[in-house]
Amino acid sequence: MNLSDINDAIKNKEKEYFLGSIVVTAGANNRYEVVDGQQRLTTVSLVIAAIKDIFAEDKDHEVVASVKSDFLASTDRKTKEKEPKLILNEIDNEVYQDLIENINDLDTSKYRRQSHKRLIDASQFCLKYLKEMCQKSKDSEEELHAWLDYLETNMKIIVVVAPDDSNAFIIFETLNDRGLELAISDLLKNYLFHRSGEKIEETKNRWLSMVSILESASDDPLVVTYLRHFSMAKYGLIREKELFSVMKRKITSKKNALNYSSELSEGARVYSALINTEHEFWSDFDPKVRGSVSTLNLLGMTQIRPLLLSILEKFNEKNVCTTFQKLVSVAVRFQIVGGVGGGTMERLYADTAKSVTEGKITTSKEVISAFTNLPSDSAFKTGFSIASISKQKIARFYLRALEEEIIGKSSEQVPSIDTDRVNLEHILPSTPTQEWNATFKPDDFRAYHNRLGNLAIMASKLNSTVGNGSFAEKCEIYKKSSFSLTNSVADESVWNKQAIENRQLKMAELAVKIWAI
């Protein structure tokens, strides 16, 4: 719903503004239950609440009372309790009711969920838009009344009333087939509700539990991604646009729907742990498991999550630890060597996940053997010896792992992951001086600046003194570094293409040992 479009419609005196169709069922106490159309109804009510709040700021209490009773909430004459016109789900209703009461009095610290933040943002946007409109208007009060009149009499919807949930979901799906754009999660949710029959409340509670867990795990929307990854762990590769149709074929009975909704709710905790490595879920595992998951997240390996889910479900703790460590090596090798598209990798991970779920793969060795195109040691060494890394966090990861291999992970000199303490140094600097330009021509600079052999990790205090000085000046600082790979740079007499290549070849030899298969 676009506020500017509505404003234009009011200015142009258009007779109708069509909001589309909504599907409802007749619920208890003469209230409708909305199957499709919740977002549009909520948005309209937030616009009206914003108009009411502007009148409240102007101390026009009669208009405020009228708008409240006509559009937002009435008061029971016996109990004196407020009866909202619109009630949202259990997770979002409290913040919604506070918003329509008065956004200016809202204590935002109470509401941490992403769905809460979206409602608050939408409400604030409506209020800001209408206030700016009033500032430009010659008669702001009249303009706000025009909005209320238009919303009440000229904004049109088609209301489809179904006798029960079952019929409502069939109508909902039919509207979608005819072109109504709906979120995949909404389609699947409503299909599960439909298939659950008289057990619908159980499925609703499980769905809300799943959403709540996922929203607490990340600021980014996760529901559709989780639904897809969870399903892929069971059935193999599923494209996002195929998710609803595939699940509709798989879930054909009430028992299927109830089992699936229960598994979704339980699996959400595990999935949230894959995103948040500080999750208590990992306390039962070897610390190396947490480290492997953290590394896979750092490398951006979201497509591997269906496989991780299936391994966590089917393997014992020892096997999980071994397999996750090997999968880090798989991820590093594929990323360094390249040549395998994202779609191919996703299919590989999904097919392997399905085999684990079905019990066809039962050991760490069998998981790794499933990757038939895994780069060999020689291919990985060659790829690592010429790799350029543009993302600093990934470059630091590789350099830290190489340093640990040299000095041993138990050493007190292991580099910190804290970027405030240890950061990245380009030996050939990002803004080279004339002295550097004499050695590295522009094409050479572009080719070698981000080569791993040109990068080093340094304590932040030391790195702040390096700057863009000459190589000789930098070497005096490198000598003071406690990190072996950085300190050894000072042994070079000159820093040129050959020096970078030689250093990186030594790194590649170490890399084959670190990320062994």
Side-chain angles (χ1 to χ4, degrees):
M1 195 176 94
N2 190 306
L3 298 188
S4 296
D5 287 348
I6 296 174
N7 195 34
D8 290 341
I10 294 171
K11 298 291 185 189
N12 297 330
K13 298 183 178 180
E14 294 178 13
K15 292 184 178 180
E16 291 184 353
Y17 186 95
F18 183 54
L19 269 186
S21 305
I22 67 171
V23 181
V24 300
T25 60
N29 302 318
N30 297 316
R31 298 188 73 105
Y32 288 122
E33 184 169 336
V34 182
V35 176
D36 173 42
Q38 301 98 322
Q39 185 173 340
R40 281 165 289 164
L41 292 174
T42 303
T43 304
V44 171
S45 66
L46 291 177
V47 171
I48 293 171
I51 293 173
K52 178 260 300 174
D53 287 344
I54 296 174
F55 278 116
E57 290 176 7
D58 293 336
K59 309 298 183 184
D60 197 334
H61 301 301
E62 290 182 359
V63 172
V64 170
S66 176
V67 172
K68 273 187 177 181
S69 61
D70 289 347
F71 299 105
L72 301 174
S74 57
T75 302
D76 187 282
R77 67 175 184 273
K78 293 182 180 178
T79 65
K80 305 296 190 296
E81 291 182 356
K82 184 178 73 172
E83 294 186 348
K85 305 283 187 183
L86 181 65
I87 299 172
L88 303 192
N89 61 57
E90 290 92 332
I91 291 175
D92 297 325
N93 191 56
E94 183 180 354
V95 64
Y96 168 73
Q97 298 302 335
D98 283 350
L99 284 170
I100 63 171
E101 181 63 29
N102 192 330
I103 187 174
N104 295 314
D105 294 339
L106 185 73
D107 179 5
T108 55
S109 64
K110 288 172 52 181
Y111 303 110
R112 300 292 187 180
R113 299 188 187 281
Q114 289 306 304
S115 59
H116 296 166
K117 293 177 182 178
R118 288 192 290 271
L119 280 167
I120 293 168
D121 288 346
S123 185
Q124 290 173 337
F125 177 84
C126 292
L127 187 61
K128 180 183 177 186
Y129 179 90
L130 291 165
K131 281 187 173 182
E132 290 175 353
M133 180 192 74
C134 289
Q135 289 171 359
K136 299 173 185 176
S137 174
K138 295 179 180 178
D139 189 341
S140 60
E141 183 178 330
E142 183 60 34
E143 191 140 10
L144 291 174
H145 279 297
W147 267 71
L148 289 171
D149 291 341
Y150 195 84
L151 292 174
E152 183 177 23
T153 61
N154 299 77
M155 184 169 282
K156 305 293 184 182
I157 57 172
I158 294 175
V159 180
V160 182
V161 183
D164 52 41
D165 288 333
S166 176
N167 286 284
F169 298 135
I170 293 170
I171 294 168
F172 177 90
E173 186 181 336
T174 303
L175 288 172
N176 182 69
D177 289 341
R178 292 176 182 173
L180 184 63
E181 292 186 3
L182 296 167
I184 292 170
S185 58
D186 284 341
L187 277 172
L188 185 53
K189 173 185 70 176
N190 284 283
Y191 181 73
L192 284 174
F193 290 177
H194 164 49
R195 280 294 179 187
S196 298
E198 75 278 4
K199 300 285 188 179
I200 186 172
E201 287 304 318
E202 291 182 25
T203 303
K204 283 183 177 181
N205 290 335
R206 290 166 183 165
W207 186 274
L208 287 172
S209 172
M210 175 197 76
V211 171
S212 176
I213 292 169
L214 294 175
E215 287 194 341
S216 66
S218 173
D219 290 339
D220 298 322
L222 280 180
V223 174
V224 174
T225 303
Y226 167 64
L227 291 171
R228 182 166 167 261
H229 285 171
F230 180 86
S231 302
M232 285 166 63
K234 292 178 174 293
Y235 307 117
L237 182 66
I238 305 173
R239 303 295 182 196
E240 186 172 309
K241 64 181 180 181
E242 302 167 343
L243 180 59
F244 176 64
S245 59
V246 170
M247 299 320 300
K248 186 177 175 184
R249 291 197 302 270
K250 299 290 184 182
I251 303 169
T252 57
S253 67
K254 178 170 68 176
K255 182 179 179 181
N256 291 154
L258 292 171
N259 288 341
Y260 191 73
S261 65
S262 179
E263 291 169 357
L264 278 176
S265 179
E266 293 167 4
R269 177 174 177 266
V270 182
Y271 196 80
S272 68
L274 291 176
I275 295 164
N276 175 20
T277 53
E278 298 303 313
H279 198 289
E280 62 181 2
F281 176 80
W282 302 117
S283 60
D284 295 332
F285 292 87
D286 187 303
K288 293 175 183 176
V289 176
R290 191 192 301 264
S292 295
V293 175
S294 180
T295 298
L296 291 168
N297 288 342
L298 175 69
L299 296 174
M301 298 300 297
T302 57
Q303 67 266 51
I304 204 173
R305 287 177 186 162
L307 178 54
L308 302 183
L309 286 172
S310 62
I311 290 169
L312 286 166
E313 181 183 0
K314 296 295 183 178
F315 286 14
N316 62 36
E317 292 175 14
K318 184 177 179 181
N319 255 342
V320 167
C321 184
T322 303
T323 309
F324 275 32
Q325 286 181 291
K326 292 294 184 183
L327 287 174
V328 170
S329 296
V330 169
V332 169
R333 290 190 175 220
F334 276 128
Q335 288 210 342
I336 289 294
V337 176
V340 181
T344 302
M345 284 305 308
E346 188 171 54
R347 181 175 293 279
L348 279 170
Y349 288 130
D351 289 347
T352 309
K354 180 184 177 186
S355 294
V356 171
T357 298
E358 293 175 345
K360 296 176 181 177
I361 289 178
T362 59
T363 67
S364 175
K365 185 177 180 180
E366 289 173 345
V367 170
I368 303 307
S369 296
F371 301 102
T372 54
N373 56 351
L374 187 63
S376 64
D377 284 355
S378 59
F380 178 52
K381 179 180 175 181
T382 299
F384 204 92
S385 69
I386 60 173
S388 290
I389 310 295
S390 58
K391 293 183 178 179
Q392 291 196 12
K393 63 181 181 179
I394 295 180
R396 282 195 300 270
F397 159 72
Y398 286 132
L399 293 169
R400 184 174 185 269
L402 291 165
E403 187 71 24
E404 287 180 350
E405 180 65 19
I406 293 172
I407 64 176
K409 294 183 180 180
S410 60
S411 170
E412 293 181 0
Q413 301 301 322
V414 169
S416 171
I417 61 174
D418 184 353
T419 55
D420 290 333
R421 296 174 60 190
V422 175
N423 51 32
L424 194 66
E425 154 74 355
H426 286 76
I427 302 167
L428 164 62
S430 300
T431 53
T433 60
Q434 286 185 339
E435 186 175 346
W436 282 104
N437 287 332
T439 306
F440 291 89
K441 303 303 179 187
D443 287 346
D444 293 334
F445 175 82
R446 284 189 289 271
Y448 284 86
H449 176 247
N450 284 323
R451 283 279 293 267
L452 201 55
N454 185 56
L455 305 178
I457 47 176
M458 293 187 68
S460 301
K461 291 181 180 179
L462 279 179
N463 198 23
S464 64
T465 66
V466 175
N468 297 327
S470 67
F471 181 62
E473 291 170 332
K474 285 185 167 226
C475 281
E476 293 303 313
I477 307 299
Y478 298 152
K479 288 177 183 177
K480 300 176 183 178
S481 175
S482 60
F483 302 140
S484 177
L485 274 174
T486 305
N487 183 278
S488 63
V489 174
D491 296 336
E492 302 290 336
S493 56
V494 294
W495 196 252
N496 53 23
K497 294 187 291 183
Q498 190 63 51
I500 292 173
E501 290 171 358
N502 290 341
R503 182 171 183 255
Q504 193 159 343
L505 182 58
K506 293 176 182 177
M507 291 177 169
E509 291 168 351
L510 289 172
V512 173
K513 298 177 183 178
I514 298 168
W515 293 289
I517 297 300

